[in-house]
Amino acid sequence: MSSHNGPEQAGHGLIGGRYRLGERLGRGGTGIVRRATDELLGRPVAVKTLALDDGADPAGALREARVVARIRHPHVIVVHDVVEHDGRPALVMELVEGGSLADRLATGRVLSPRETARLGLDLLDALGAAHALDVLHRDVKPANVLLEKGSGRAVLTDFGIASLPGATTLSGTGVFVGTPEYTAPERMRGDDAGPASDLWSLGALLCAAATGTSPFRRDSLGAVLHAVVYDEIRPSEVMGPLVPVVRGLLERDPDRRLGAAGARRMLADCLAAAQEADGPEADTPSIAASRAEDARPVPDAHPEPTPRQPTPPEAHDPGGARERGAAGAGRRGGLALPLVAAAVAACVAAVTVAVLLAGDRRTTDTGAPTAPGSSSTGPAAAPGPVPAGYTAVSDERGFTLAVPAGARRSTDGDRVFYTTGDGAVWVGIRIRAIPPGGAIGAMRYADESGPGTNRGYRDATVEEIRHKGLPAARWEFTWDGFTAAEGPRHTVDLCWEQAGTLYDVWASAPVDRADEARGYFDTALGSFRTSGRTSGG
């Protein structure tokens, strides 16, 4: 949906036997959005009708409705109904009272780094929910992000050109699909595109949110396309701690681009650092528009580690995607505008050009960044009796515990992993400040985010418990795993509050080794000590 642009009056007819149309709220690429009243239920709604003069495909509206109906997420627009209007389908959606991010930026009100980080986390969750269902949005931009008045909730809308992975950048009639200054370079080249393309768009959106404009804004469409594919990308220093995550998301090679899990951790760290630095009295007019929003737990919605494991060859280049992309460069149809045709032709040449960002960030196959200084070494032994088959270790992060004999240590940001020799089972440890909402709040938020962060998330349970007399929460779930070859995994996680610190220990294994992982988990918890004291204080 486009921006809420004022009270231009439209027809006030009744459609679908119950929805009375009101003022026009905006116009997107596939239709016009109006305020309406559901006279049956007595509630306000938004109705998106296809513009009669833009050649919109009625089948596209139905497809959009079906796509959005599959994605149930608080940061994704809700479609209530589909009715007929002027012989075409009309979408009845939730009404988000408040303008779009584009509206806000148009008034010169950019977001602070703190607000931008929070917005990025919300949109990552929304995209994660879509990507888990193999849906690509393909038009992530400020005009398609609504900011709810009062609550500050960010809502991703306008799935009118959403598609399954592998869809072309051009429509069947040769018209460019998307918004060039927010479109990933691989889509400009006509290559196959996946979830990483939406993440590029998110990176450009975060730049716009914090600075007021996309980093690829130029005077002509041809110049925009050239900037996306060729020009050096220099995120503004005004973005402060957000610069590294934006650099990672705007990596031109999709195989090296920062993944969703890595971006989420970096944005959560930015938000936590900003909250600590600013303090509760330093809030600017926020997306949240209230301090209550700041009470939301900083998510750790994807506790799975990204240890360095041997990667199946097909994971590096699924089905020869690079070769298909290069060969497919000559199969694109003509564009509607000669200027676009010339610009895209120039972009095709870029398939042979490797443009690298400053601040190189390599990622694992799960999309999470490998933290600078990550280690993968044998654990240092610590004295003390341990069960047979285990080794007691004294970790440099300030804790001791018993891990499987032969386990190797690795780190990913503030998380530490001890992985069995075959790389299949691991124990993870994370130590951080207690987030708002405490242990149970963190676990409940992680569970809510689970479907968007763990493919095939299912059989989840979250319960509030006591661990050695301390407030704690336990979370278990099954998911589809990192690769089809590896198969489903099961994770068990327990975090507890102690002396102002949240301690989190979990174990993960293929489902057929879940009992083995539970044994490692129980032993790790029972043997965990910090600062010379028991975990129970």
Side-chain angles (χ1 to χ4, degrees):
M1 189 178 83
S2 186
S3 63
H4 291 229
N5 59 3
E8 178 183 335
Q9 295 298 315
H12 290 260
L14 194 69
I15 67 173
R18 60 188 283 189
Y19 305 107
R20 188 165 299 281
L21 296 178
E23 65 181 304
R24 171 171 159 169
L25 298 175
R27 176 165 182 162
T30 56
I32 297 170
V33 178
R34 294 182 176 90
R35 182 186 299 272
T37 300
D38 181 346
E39 295 194 339
L40 178 63
L41 298 180
R43 65 176 176 180
V45 294
V47 173
K48 180 177 181 179
T49 57
L50 296 184
L52 298 178
D53 58 351
D54 64 0
D57 179 11
L62 289 174
R63 182 172 59 83
E64 177 182 2
R66 293 189 182 106
V67 165
V68 179
R70 294 174 60 197
I71 308 169
R72 299 176 59 86
H73 194 277
H75 296 296
V76 174
I77 196 75
V78 175
V79 172
H80 297 308
D81 198 359
V82 180
V83 297
E84 184 176 303
H85 177 59
D86 290 336
R88 298 186 175 199
L91 276 60
V92 181
M93 306 176 292
E94 68 170 314
L95 177 65
V96 179
E97 293 282 8
S100 70
L101 175 60
D103 292 333
R104 172 167 173 157
L105 298 178
T107 67
R109 294 179 299 138
V110 299
L111 275 57
S112 68
R114 177 177 183 166
E115 293 171 323
T116 304
R118 184 184 290 112
L119 175 67
L121 288 168
D122 290 346
L123 294 181
L124 274 173
D125 286 349
L127 290 172
H131 295 165
L133 297 172
D134 288 334
V135 172
L136 303 182
H137 188 279
R138 299 204 299 172
D139 202 17
V140 178
K141 61 183 180 182
N144 287 340
V145 176
L146 302 179
L147 304 177
E148 189 171 53
K149 184 178 180 180
S151 73
R153 179 172 64 110
V155 180
L156 183 62
T157 186
D158 203 341
F159 282 73
I161 63 170
S163 73
L164 298 179
T168 179
T169 302
L170 305 181
S171 72
T173 57
V175 176
F176 188 88
V177 175
T179 305
E181 64 186 272
Y182 292 96
T183 299
E186 62 268 22
R187 289 192 59 220
M188 293 293 192
R189 296 190 294 262
D191 294 349
D192 288 346
S197 296
D198 279 346
L199 296 182
W200 167 283
S201 302
L202 177 62
L205 180 143
L206 294 180
C207 283
T211 68
T213 185
S214 158
F216 308 108
R217 177 71 55 84
R218 299 293 188 274
D219 292 336
S220 70
L221 184 54
V224 169
L225 299 185
H226 187 278
V228 169
V229 177
Y230 288 112
D231 288 357
E232 182 179 1
I233 303 170
R234 293 183 178 180
S236 170
E237 293 183 0
V238 125
M239 302 189 70
L242 294 166
V243 168
V245 68
V246 167
R247 285 191 184 279
L249 292 171
L250 296 182
E251 164 60 59
R252 284 190 169 96
D253 182 349
D255 292 331
R256 298 177 59 195
R257 192 169 299 151
L258 181 62
R264 180 173 291 103
R265 283 193 294 274
M266 295 174 73
L267 287 170
D269 289 343
C270 287
L271 179 58
Q275 289 174 333
E276 182 177 354
D278 293 346
E281 301 302 322
D283 287 335
T284 59
S286 169
I287 290 179
S290 70
R291 299 240 179 109
E293 175 69 8
D294 287 339
R296 184 184 67 176
V298 176
D300 185 23
H302 187 62
E304 292 301 320
T306 53
R308 288 186 178 274
Q309 300 178 25
T311 304
E314 62 272 19
H316 289 293
D317 186 10
R322 292 187 185 87
E323 288 74 16
R324 288 200 309 273
R331 295 197 296 266
R332 295 181 295 280
L335 294 174
L337 298 175
L339 175 60
V340 181
V344 173
C347 292
V348 172
V351 74
T352 60
V353 178
V355 184
L356 304 180
L357 290 175
D360 181 27
R361 176 173 295 274
R362 300 185 184 278
T363 61
T364 67
D365 292 302
T366 62
T370 302
S374 293
S375 63
S376 181
T377 60
V386 295
Y390 290 83
T391 299
V393 299
S394 179
D395 195 274
E396 64 186 46
R397 299 285 176 91
F399 61 85
T400 62
L401 79 168
V403 300
R408 295 184 64 81
R409 179 184 188 274
S410 63
T411 61
D412 184 2
D414 61 353
R415 303 184 301 173
V416 177
F417 304 104
Y418 285 94
T419 308
T420 56
D422 60 4
V425 185
W426 54 76
V427 174
I429 305 97
R430 185 185 187 194
I431 302 174
R432 57 175 170 148
I434 298 176
I440 186 63
M443 288 300 199
R444 283 173 177 163
Y445 188 79
D447 174 54
E448 291 172 2
S449 303
T453 55
N454 297 276
R455 185 169 57 91
Y457 182 80
R458 58 191 179 274
D459 302 331
T461 60
V462 174
E463 58 180 332
E464 189 170 10
I465 62 173
R466 306 286 291 183
H467 174 63
K468 297 187 177 180
L470 298 169
R474 182 184 176 98
W475 177 32
E476 282 197 60
F477 63 94
T478 301
W479 62 296
D480 285 349
F482 294 119
T483 66
E486 178 195 49
R489 298 185 67 87
H490 188 78
T491 299
V492 56
D493 188 340
L494 189 145
C495 65
W496 69 96
E497 304 170 26
Q498 178 184 338
T501 300
L502 190 72
Y503 294 91
D504 194 352
V505 175
W506 68 94
S508 177
V511 291
D512 59 356
R513 297 175 65 176
D515 289 342
E516 177 185 348
R518 284 193 181 93
Y520 296 155
F521 174 76
D522 291 340
T523 300
L525 274 180
S527 62
F528 188 92
R529 302 291 186 273
T530 181
S531 301
R533 299 164 56 189
T534 68
S535 61

